[in-house]
Amino acid sequence: MTIPGQLNPSPRLLLGPGPSDAHPRVLSAMTTPLLGHLDPQFLDIMTETQEMLRQVYQTRNVLTFPVSATGMAGMETCLVNLVEPGDRVVLGVAGYFGTRMVDIAGRCGADLTVLTRPWGEVFDLDQIRETLRRVRPKVFGIVHAETSTGALQPLDQLGKLCHEFDTLLLTDCVTSLGCVPVELDGWEIDAAFSCSQKGLSCPPGLSPVSLSDRAVHTLKSRKTKVQSWYFDLSSIQSYWGGERAYHHTAPITMVYAIREGLRLVLEEGLSARFARHVRNHLALKAGLTALGLKYIASEGHQLPQLNAVRLPDGIDDIASRKRLLNEFGIEIGGGLGEFKGKAWRIGLMGHNSRPDCVFQVLAALELVLGKAGVSLTPGVGVAAAEKVYATS
Ligand SMILES: *Cc1c(COP(=O)(O)O)cnc(C)c1O
């Protein structure tokens, strides 16, 4: 066989649901020479990373570190550690990622109650309270930022509510961390997981996990062994936090990456970062609305970092996204599950939440929609976005 040529992919702007572009400083940190995974200097880097991660998660939880795999591994880690066969678990499902929690909890042998809302909606406290009162589960799990629908589930009152029923609150923060407020301690969240490639602007490969003391107590009181060896938090914690015993070889380069990603978040400041995401979202939203596109999630529950809109009638999903990619180098996401072929998902996450990204995607979408036969006044999307920037 002939040896394939050197890697040379076309430039892309990753404005889908993830991965989003890594920050240049993250990519540069990744060229740092390797250290051994037990080198005292690497152990210091791990400690710094954990300390920064606690700040970004707004928690003092001791058990806070990135699991060595993608966001789904964080989901699996939290569920396999907190759920034993026969445990009552309630899960809120209003989109695709909620259904994945159901699948994993089922594999853990949970006695499962699934609470549903139509995709794109969010749960209100009363519906959850009623179910918790009736079922009194060990764990209640819900997705904070449902990437399949673009809806933001309010979490601020949920922890207190769960604790009234002696229930642990587990939240999927994969698309929220680094983009919108996530306050583990203030909101009394017991278990959270996220990822490196969305709001933290790193490559995919790590899943930051954090457990409250209450959740750690539950973990320590298990009657059965965690069914996963690799994701057993007690043993991973002895590498990240305890006697630094060998568990697995840490992905050194990814730890360099997330350390730099977290430094960037803290340098910018959490509130400035969240405000930036809102500002760019409002500009994009004005532009998309001017192009005739409608959001799936209702007003007040839309994610700034993931803009999910309905595909206009008569527009070919695959062909349009192919044109965006091939002619403009822009990747956006299609619909998942129920919304396959019916939605577009435009991410403005972390480093990619910027005016130039907003203008590029609006200009390209206008041309693609225009060629597909939608009648639009030239420049209408870009002009609407510019107006938002000029007045905010
Ligand atoms: C992306 C995503 C995941 C999965 O993360 P991977 O890094 O793809 O494994 C889980 N939950 C939500 C809400 C997501 O958006």
Side-chain angles (χ1 to χ4, degrees):
M1 75 172 245
T2 54
I3 300 172
Q6 221 180 336
L7 272 181
N8 187 23
S10 306
R12 299 288 194 225
L13 180 59
L14 301 179
L15 300 183
S20 68
D21 288 286
H23 192 284
R25 261 175 55 187
V26 167
L27 294 176
S28 145
M30 294 181 77
T31 62
T32 307
L34 298 185
L35 288 166
H37 67 114
L38 295 171
D39 186 311
Q41 287 191 35
F42 187 69
L43 299 181
D44 287 344
I45 287 169
M46 290 165 68
T47 305
E48 292 164 354
T49 302
Q50 283 178 286
E51 196 37 61
M52 288 193 287
L53 194 52
R54 288 188 190 102
Q55 288 184 50
V56 172
Y57 259 139
Q58 304 193 56
T59 183
R60 298 164 72 133
N61 287 344
V62 174
L63 197 159
T64 303
F65 54 77
V67 167
S68 304
T70 69
M72 282 310 301
M75 187 187 286
E76 186 137 10
T77 298
C78 288
L79 285 166
V80 299
N81 279 274
L82 296 179
V83 179
E84 293 185 72
D87 284 344
R88 286 190 302 279
V89 172
V90 174
L91 295 172
V93 177
Y96 180 80
F97 288 99
T99 66
R100 287 200 166 178
M101 286 217 263
V102 170
D103 189 347
I104 298 175
R107 291 168 193 237
C108 298
D111 174 358
L112 202 55
T113 303
V114 179
L115 204 56
T116 58
R117 297 287 303 174
W119 281 35
E121 294 187 8
V122 296
F123 290 89
D124 63 49
L125 228 46
D126 290 339
Q127 185 184 8
I128 296 169
R129 181 183 292 110
E130 192 277 319
T131 310
L132 295 183
R133 182 173 290 135
R134 184 166 50 80
V135 180
R136 299 202 171 251
K138 181 179 180 188
V139 176
F140 173 65
I142 197 160
V143 178
H144 188 205
E146 182 46 86
T147 322
S148 62
T149 66
L152 178 65
Q153 171 67 48
L155 296 180
D156 54 327
Q157 308 289 319
L158 264 184
K160 203 166 261 120
L161 178 68
C162 284
H163 295 152
E164 280 174 33
F165 300 98
D166 221 9
T167 297
L168 296 172
L169 175 60
L170 160 66
T171 59
D172 175 333
C173 298
V174 175
T175 297
S176 53
L177 193 68
C179 301
V180 293
V182 176
E183 299 180 29
L184 295 195
D185 288 359
W187 299 346
E188 298 187 26
I189 292 171
D190 295 298
F193 55 92
S194 188
C195 75
S196 47
Q197 78 273 19
K198 299 184 188 184
L200 299 180
S201 301
C202 297
L206 289 179
S207 178
V209 162
S210 185
L211 257 63
S212 70
D213 291 346
R214 202 186 297 247
V216 170
H217 177 76
T218 301
L219 181 54
K220 287 192 174 141
S221 326
R222 283 182 66 109
K223 294 187 276 306
T224 56
K225 270 192 174 183
V226 173
Q227 60 267 45
S228 163
W229 185 89
Y230 196 80
F231 294 138
D232 185 334
L233 279 172
S234 314
S235 35
I236 313 177
Q237 171 66 1
S238 65
Y239 174 51
W240 275 92
E243 61 271 32
R244 306 290 194 177
Y246 167 64
H247 177 265
H248 64 280
T249 308
I252 309 293
T253 304
M254 278 309 301
V255 176
Y256 293 164
I258 202 165
R259 179 181 179 279
E260 195 60 23
L262 293 166
R263 263 163 47 79
L264 283 157
V265 174
L266 296 175
E267 276 176 18
E268 180 173 14
L270 290 176
S271 53
R273 190 173 180 93
F274 303 148
R276 171 167 65 83
H277 279 80
V278 169
R279 185 164 187 258
N280 291 311
H281 157 70
L282 291 176
L284 177 69
K285 181 171 160 179
L288 293 175
T289 307
L291 296 179
L293 297 166
K294 296 196 168 44
Y295 277 67
I296 289 171
S298 59
E299 204 61 48
H301 294 295
Q302 294 162 358
L303 291 170
Q305 68 275 36
L306 197 281
N307 297 262
V309 292
R310 291 184 194 283
L311 215 66
D313 286 338
I315 298 295
D316 184 330
D317 171 32
I318 306 280
S320 304
R321 283 190 290 122
K322 204 181 242 174
R323 291 200 56 201
L324 280 176
L325 192 65
N326 293 341
E327 293 172 32
F328 302 95
I330 299 175
E331 177 178 283
I332 67 166
L336 269 185
E338 275 184 30
F339 290 143
K340 194 167 162 39
K342 297 182 187 152
W344 280 340
R345 297 181 297 147
I346 303 170
L348 298 174
M349 297 176 178
H351 177 54
N352 280 1
S353 175
R354 300 196 310 269
D356 59 295
C357 297
V358 169
F359 288 130
Q360 278 188 67
V361 73
L362 286 173
L365 270 175
E366 178 191 308
L367 293 167
V368 166
L369 288 171
K371 282 233 167 107
V374 180
S375 131
L376 291 166
T377 313
V380 70
V382 165
E386 173 54 18
K387 204 165 150 196
V388 170
Y389 285 125
T391 53
S392 65

